[in-house]
Amino acid sequence: MYVNTHLPESGIEQIVNRIFATRCITRADQQMFMSALLSKDALSATDRRHIDRVFDGLRQGLLKVVD
């Protein structure tokens, strides 16, 4: 018997998936990620990896910044 164990995606994961699907990131997305990284609220290790993946994509030129 198959049991679906997939947990709902976090808000950050949904945004990251959209960014990589469109290969575009908005300035608002960038600001939200920076705020999340700099906030006193703890990010999960998974959310931190998702954000790092986006910034790596930006550094490698895989993503285009749009307004």
Side-chain angles (χ1 to χ4, degrees), residues 26-59:
T26 66
R27 298 269 182 214
D29 292 334
Q30 281 184 299
Q31 288 178 327
M32 188 268 309
F33 287 152
M34 288 302 296
S35 294
L37 288 171
L38 297 173
S39 81
K40 294 182 193 299
D41 298 331
L43 281 175
S44 70
T46 301
D47 284 344
R48 186 170 293 277
R49 277 193 305 274
H50 287 307
I51 293 171
D52 288 344
R53 182 175 161 226
V54 170
F55 287 122
D56 288 342
L58 284 166
R59 279 191 293 273

